[in-house]
Amino acid sequence: MLNSTQLATMLSLQDAMNKKVNPDWLNAGYAYLRAAMIESVEGIEHHGWKWWKAQQKDLPQLQMELVDIWHFALSDIIIGFSGDIQKSANTIAEQLASNRSQVTFDGKEYVFTEQDILDNLELMAGLCAAKRFDVPLFLKIVEQAEMDSNELYRQYVGKNVLNFFRQDHGYKDGTYHKIWNGREDNEHLVDVLNTLDISLKDYSDSVYNGLKQRYPMD
């Protein structure tokens, strides 16, 4: 289960990244749950669902979609509390502590702990279309995608910090170098993440500094 430090870190990072895009993002009216709905459907595609043709599950891409969904979900939750990070964290923690295993949608009870990942992704897409997001359902899907809460945290922080790093080093004006020493920045990120303990209180700063040490400064 995600702990209080992890929740505070992710929510703060999400708020900061959104402010980097638009300082008034809380009032911009962005359709974050619509984005989460689309990503849920893309997750179904990466898993494979068509009975009329051979398909192979792309687990890394499915996991990446879930990390993206979490970005959008956190944004929507923060908006719901008018930017209050602590209240947002408390609400997520309360939902997780409830150990709830079902959700009501369109008058029907769905026991998501007994459903497979495809049915749960479909349920999440439906909830997002109805402007709802269910954290326990999402974490069940994360588990079904062979991730745990620590891996979700690790991947989320890594992707968020890399986005910050790119922006800070000229991504917008085209001066950023995505390939360093013959390798893409995503590969360098993986190396950095593999050297760090996720229990560090300054984990996100450590990831950023790790990238900075590797980045060629002209």
Side-chain angles (χ1 to χ4, degrees), residues 14-119:
Q14 191 63 51
D15 181 45
M17 176 51 70
N18 290 351
K19 284 177 179 173
K20 206 171 187 69
V21 175
N22 179 358
D24 192 35
W25 75 274
L26 286 169
N27 302 306
Y30 298 139
Y32 288 109
L33 290 187
R34 181 184 300 156
M37 175 192 69
I38 298 300
E39 300 285 358
S40 300
V41 174
E42 290 179 1
I44 292 173
E45 288 290 340
H46 288 308
H47 183 282
W49 62 278
K50 297 172 182 175
W51 60 89
W52 62 88
K53 62 183 290 189
Q55 291 183 294
Q56 188 162 350
K57 180 168 63 176
D58 189 339
L59 191 61
Q61 281 297 320
L62 172 55
Q63 292 177 347
M64 196 177 298
E65 298 294 353
L66 293 176
V67 174
D68 288 341
I69 288 168
W70 193 230
H71 280 78
F72 297 130
L74 292 179
S75 298
D76 183 73
I77 291 168
I78 294 169
I79 290 173
F81 290 99
S82 304
D84 191 318
I85 299 299
Q86 190 57 58
K87 286 184 178 178
S88 301
N90 291 344
T91 295
I92 296 173
E94 288 169 6
Q95 287 196 40
L96 294 176
S98 72
N99 292 318
R100 182 166 46 76
S101 62
Q102 60 188 46
V103 63
T104 303
F105 178 56
D106 199 23
K108 181 178 177 180
E109 292 287 334
Y110 293 87
V111 183
F112 53 77
T113 53
E114 298 178 2
Q115 296 191 152
D116 65 26
I117 189 171
L118 287 173
D119 285 338

